[in-house]
């Protein structure tokens, strides 16, 4: 059974940085595209960033382009989200996801439990 465990969330002031990590177990990491989504209170879950199996292609939501960077380390079964110049509107629970298709589809098949990111202004 494939499992994802996120870590690295926390509280930070606006303009600060955080790095989220997500480790996959129970499956072959290189079989999956990986991505990050987020859900703020009262809002639907939204796409943040995705990365292809090799790490050669990435996709970002317009709201985070130039501030967030997704990367993966296949030898460690880990995907990262480096978040810089954080804004209060980035406050949300961040979820790591894995999928079988391509990053263009925004289709993800399994999820972690989420990690809270709170940005204070």
């Amino acid at each position: 059974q494939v499992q994802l465990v996120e870590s690295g969330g926390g509280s930070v002031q606006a303009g600060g940085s955080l790095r989220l990590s997500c480790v996959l177990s129970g499956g072959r990491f290189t079989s999956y595209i990986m991505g990050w989504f987020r859900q703020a209170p009262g809002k639907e879950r939204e796409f943040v960033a995705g990365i292809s199996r090799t790490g050669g292609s990435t996709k970002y939501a317009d709201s985070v382009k130039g501030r967030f960077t997704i990367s993966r380390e296949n030898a460690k079964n880990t995907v990262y989200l480096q978040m810089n110049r954080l804004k209060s509107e980035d406050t949300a629970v961040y979820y790591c996801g894995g999928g079988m298709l391509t990053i263009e589809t925004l289709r993800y098949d399994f999820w972690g439990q989420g990690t809270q990111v709170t940005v204070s202004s």
Side-chain angles (χ1 to χ4, degrees), residues 104-120:
E104 296 301 325
T105 66
L106 302 185
R107 159 90 178 267
Y108 290 79
D109 302 303
F110 51 93
W111 303 91
Q113 82 289 352
T115 186
Q116 176 70 46
V117 171
T118 302
V119 184
S120 57

Side-chain angles (χ1 to χ4, degrees), residues 22-37:
C22 172
V23 179
L24 182 146
S25 62
R28 180 176 292 181
F29 188 62
T30 52
S31 294
Y32 308 112
I33 61 165
M34 300 298 296
W36 290 93
F37 285 65

Side-chain angles (χ1 to χ4, degrees), residues 22-109:
C22 172
V23 179
L24 182 146
S25 62
R28 180 176 292 181
F29 188 62
T30 52
S31 294
Y32 308 112
I33 61 165
M34 300 298 296
W36 290 93
F37 285 65
R38 66 187 181 187
Q39 188 166 18
K43 295 187 177 181
E44 293 187 353
R45 188 176 297 190
E46 65 174 0
F47 170 77
V48 175
I51 189 165
S52 63
R53 291 167 179 79
T54 64
S57 297
T58 56
K59 185 177 179 69
Y60 295 94
D62 288 343
S63 59
V64 307
K65 278 181 183 176
R67 300 188 298 123
F68 291 10
T69 302
I70 188 171
S71 62
R72 65 190 293 162
E73 193 168 356
N74 287 346
K76 293 187 176 181
N77 289 0
T78 302
V79 60
Y80 304 98
L81 185 68
Q82 177 67 44
M83 305 186 292
N84 298 328
R85 304 203 311 273
L86 283 160
K87 305 175 181 180
S88 57
E89 51 262 46
D90 295 318
T91 295
V93 177
Y94 283 70
Y95 297 91
C96 172
M100 297 295 292
L101 300 179
T102 69
I103 59 173
E104 296 301 325
T105 66
L106 302 185
R107 159 90 178 267
Y108 290 79
D109 302 303

